[in-house]
Amino acid sequence: LVGVMSVPRERRVGLVFDDRYLTHNTGLDLIEDRALYPFAEPVPHPSSPAQAGRAKHLMDLYGVAERMTRVDPELVTDDQLTVYHTPEHLARVTAIAGTDGGDTGAGAPIGRGGDRVARLAAGGTIAAVDAVMRGTVDAAYALVRPPGHHAMADEGMGFCVFNNAVVAARQAQRVHGVKKILILDWDVHHGNGTQAAFWSDPNVLFISLHQDDLYPVGWGAVDQVGIGEGEGFTVNIPLPAGTGNRGYAEAFARLVAPISRQFSPELIIVSAGQDASVFDKLGRMSMTLSGYRAMTEAMMAVAAECCDGKLVVTQEGGYAPEYAPYCSAMIAQTLVGLLPGEELIPDPYGERAETQPASVELGLDAAEAMDRAASLLRQYWNL
Ligand SMILES: [Zn+2]
């Protein structure tokens, strides 16, 4: 038809959120030896409902959520979980959820009924993948909790009960016929559970940026590259404490983006932990809102180039109750884009966010860490 102009339609971005996520109860961070910790006042567990709840609140206040398409989570089924997790782990989680609460593994507590919330978190990330793969939305943010990336096949770990990203990636492959998936993990801790799941799998490229040997100890070294057919498809980029916006930008430009493009995924899942922020008590990085915006834009660009924009962001960590929610809201605002005249969500850190050294300088130790990673990864990727 002559003269018909193609009008770009508005990007549709899904939001998975459910108030039941805020009922996941991690209890108190009890320190058992009272001789070493003699104070009487209880210490709240760092994985609190405040992060996700406040992130949603900010998305509402800044008009972001209203521009997103609501995607309802469903409870993940046993069949969907056992693509990775053992039946024994499922049974243990169910049993603990029938008590007043306990640990589902190594530091992954749930309260009574917590199995349903954990299943809703995995089911939420799956719902985001379903919506993107069916074309209901172009991209989606699964603002779920508990997080997932530390969860191993046979146990919960590091506040994670089920590995949301892993079971969602397998859903994309089993139900939607996707072959190649990129999972990019920018949580400040290493995504050990996800690495373990795809250790020998060449069809799922796992890239992790994390603080060097922070948690879990021993995981995420640059020479951990996968085995067998999967060799080279695990990419670890350990960064020194203090790496901020400038260093992360360098890592994306020099390593993450070129490797991602060469792999050319059909779907991208981002394990988005906002605990590399400058205010986080469980990490020692210096990222600010603009850094999270830049990383989101970088992955949107790769997705646009490789897979028609198919991008699912799933919530992992983030423990600064006054700041991590802003980072999450900024990610969502970046996904939906700014309307004409609309302003960016302001950084509560103020001007200092952009002027602190970590925002403008590439530290020598960060540059060296990237040199090391690049020289090792060059045997698998054109860098
Ligand atoms: Zn983390």
Side-chain angles (χ1 to χ4, degrees), residues 149-150 158-159 187-190 215 273-276 282 316-319:
H149 73 149
H150 294 305
F159 317 160
D187 188 286
V188 78
H189 307 104
H190 182 253
Y215 178 86
Q274 279 61 263
D275 44 12
L282 298 190
E316 300 285 0
Y319 307 100

Side-chain angles (χ1 to χ4, degrees), residues 5 23 45 57 100 108 137 148 162 178 181 188 197 204 271 303 314 340 343 346 374-375:
M5 301 278 287
T23 69
H45 193 282
H57 192 192
D100 286 337
V137 295
F162 298 128
V178 173
I181 299 171
V188 78
V204 179
S271 270
T314 186
E343 292 189 358
S375 68

Side-chain angles (χ1 to χ4, degrees), residues 118-352:
R119 280 178 181 259
L120 205 64
T125 308
I126 285 175
V129 163
D130 284 342
V132 166
M133 292 314 304
R134 288 184 188 128
T136 318
V137 295
D138 299 292
Y141 191 162
L143 184 58
V144 303
R145 66 185 292 270
H149 73 149
H150 294 305
M152 301 291 284
D154 58 352
E155 65 171 0
M157 189 172 167
F159 317 160
C160 304
V161 179
F162 298 128
N163 199 311
N164 308 324
V166 169
V167 299
R170 290 297 187 216
Q171 169 85 359
Q173 292 179 318
R174 295 201 311 163
V175 175
H176 301 287
V178 173
K179 191 176 172 213
K180 290 162 67 181
I181 299 171
L182 163 63
I183 300 180
L184 185 279
D185 187 328
W186 70 46
D187 188 286
V188 78
H189 307 104
H190 182 253
N192 57 292
T194 313
Q195 172 169 306
F198 304 116
W199 189 235
S200 61
D201 189 336
N203 291 315
V204 179
L205 170 61
F206 175 63
I207 304 180
S208 178
L209 297 137
H210 47 272
Q211 186 179 326
D212 193 2
D213 209 18
L214 177 62
Y215 178 86
V217 172
W219 285 84
V222 69
D223 59 0
Q224 293 173 15
V225 294
I227 53 166
E229 290 187 345
E231 187 179 339
F233 294 95
T234 291
V235 171
N236 280 303
I237 307 171
L239 297 167
T243 302
N245 298 347
R246 175 75 179 81
Y248 273 83
E250 184 82 6
F252 270 74
R254 199 171 157 191
L255 301 166
V256 176
I259 292 171
S260 299
R261 288 194 169 94
Q262 286 163 49
F263 179 68
S264 194
E266 296 158 64
L267 169 69
I268 298 175
I269 298 174
V270 175
S271 270
Q274 279 61 263
D275 44 12
S277 93
V278 67
F279 288 102
D280 207 280
K281 68 173 179 175
L282 298 190
R284 290 294 174 269
M285 297 309 206
S286 296
M287 293 279 286
T288 69
L289 259 60
S290 70
Y292 283 100
R293 179 171 180 78
M295 293 198 295
T296 307
E297 284 174 341
M299 296 322 292
M300 288 169 71
V302 174
E305 209 173 291
C306 298
C307 50
D308 213 12
K310 293 190 184 69
L311 177 65
V312 169
V313 176
T314 186
Q315 181 69 34
E316 300 285 0
Y319 307 100
E322 71 281 30
Y323 198 75
Y326 276 88
C327 300
S328 296
M330 175 55 81
I331 292 165
Q333 189 184 44
T334 307
L335 289 172
V336 299
L338 290 179
L339 293 171
E342 190 181 15
E343 292 189 358
L344 288 172
I345 295 171
D347 193 316
Y349 190 20
E351 281 179 20
R352 190 61 180 149

